[in-house]
């Protein structure tokens, strides 16, 4: 069990946590394309390494996508997320924010992880779906939804005199 990363800590391989292997690409700022490109290169490199070592590929079902030990990750298994400050939404109503996220096919989490709870006005916003969509579609849903939430947040801030 362990976590392995590059020197910049922008690419990580987490072994035997919730999934057998979790591949993570992340960085500060808004370069989603760069993060996605690094992820694609990393997945290929890890897959090629596994194939060279044991002759096996990642478990892939034509019907269900990649097979994971965590059933919520069935499909692409990809969770694209960004941390974004939404003070207007927070002031208006976290329940309304959750309902809006549902409409936009995304999910808000606190920045402490899946069960870490919410602190302040910073949210981890990610695609809700994994099954039936391509990785590119899921990233685009997340980008479009975050842009929408941000614009709406500015309106809530005006309403609340923030």
């Amino acid at each position: 069990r362990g976590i392995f990363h590059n020197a910049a800590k922008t690419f990580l391989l987490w072994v035997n946590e919730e999934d057998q292997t979790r591949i993570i690409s992340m960085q500060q700022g808004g370069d989603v394309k760069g993060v996605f490109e690094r992820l694609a290169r990393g997945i290929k490199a890890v897959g090629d390494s596994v194939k060279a070592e044991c002759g096996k590929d990642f478990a892939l079902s034509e019907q269900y996508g990649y097979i994971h030990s965590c059933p919520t990750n069935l499909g692409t298994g990809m969770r694209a997320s960004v941390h974004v400050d939404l003070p207007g939404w927070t002031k208006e109503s976290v329940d309304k924010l959750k309902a809006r996220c549902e409409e936009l096919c995304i999910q808000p989490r606190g920045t402490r992880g899946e069960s870490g709870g919410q602190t302040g006005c910073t949210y981890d916003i990610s695609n809700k779906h994994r099954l039936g969509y391509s990785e590119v579609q899921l990233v685009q849903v997340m980008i479009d939804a975050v842009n929408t939430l941000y614009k709406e947040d500015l309106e809530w801030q005006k309403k609340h005199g923030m």
Side-chain angles (χ1 to χ4, degrees), residues 37-55:
E37 288 171 347
R38 182 184 320 105
L39 178 66
R41 288 190 313 271
I43 290 171
K44 181 175 181 348
V46 171
D48 290 349
S49 177
V50 169
K51 180 81 168 184
E53 182 70 26
C54 67

Side-chain angles (χ1 to χ4, degrees), residues 7-91:
K9 296 185 181 176
T10 57
F11 184 79
L12 303 91
L13 181 64
W14 202 345
V15 180
N16 291 330
E17 189 257 341
E18 187 175 271
D19 292 308
Q20 286 93 357
T21 303
R22 183 170 290 188
I23 302 171
I24 302 166
S25 177
M26 63 184 187
Q27 71 186 49
Q28 294 286 329
D31 185 10
V32 176
K33 182 179 179 189
V35 171
F36 186 78
E37 288 171 347
R38 182 184 320 105
L39 178 66
R41 288 190 313 271
I43 290 171
K44 181 175 181 348
V46 171
D48 290 349
S49 177
V50 169
K51 180 81 168 184
E53 182 70 26
C54 67
K56 306 262 186 219
D57 290 312
F58 290 124
L60 177 62
S61 162
E62 200 169 299
Q63 182 176 2
Y64 298 114
Y66 287 97
I67 308 301
H68 301 263
S69 59
C70 181
T72 61
N73 290 334
L74 193 63
T76 70
M78 191 185 76
R79 181 178 168 270
S81 71
V82 296
H83 287 187
V84 62
D85 290 338
L86 298 171
W89 271 108
T90 303
K91 179 83 170 172

Side-chain angles (χ1 to χ4, degrees), residues 90-102:
T90 303
K91 179 83 170 172
E92 177 63 19
S93 166
V94 173
D95 288 336
K96 284 184 182 179
L97 172 61
K98 289 178 182 177
R100 183 64 173 130
C101 287
E102 184 72 27

Side-chain angles (χ1 to χ4, degrees), residues 103-154:
E103 292 170 2
L104 296 170
C105 298
I106 55 172
Q107 58 189 134
R109 296 180 178 180
T111 56
R112 293 182 176 170
E114 194 170 351
S115 56
Q118 178 55 34
T119 60
C121 66
T122 305
Y123 297 85
D124 180 310
I125 305 290
S126 64
N127 54 295
K128 181 177 179 182
H129 301 293
R130 312 279 191 275
L131 187 59
Y133 301 90
S134 73
E135 290 83 351
V136 171
Q137 287 173 308
L138 295 175
V139 170
Q140 194 61 56
V141 164
M142 186 269 303
I143 290 169
D144 293 344
V146 167
N147 286 333
T148 298
L149 287 177
Y150 180 76
K151 288 176 190 168
E152 293 169 350
D153 189 73
L154 294 176

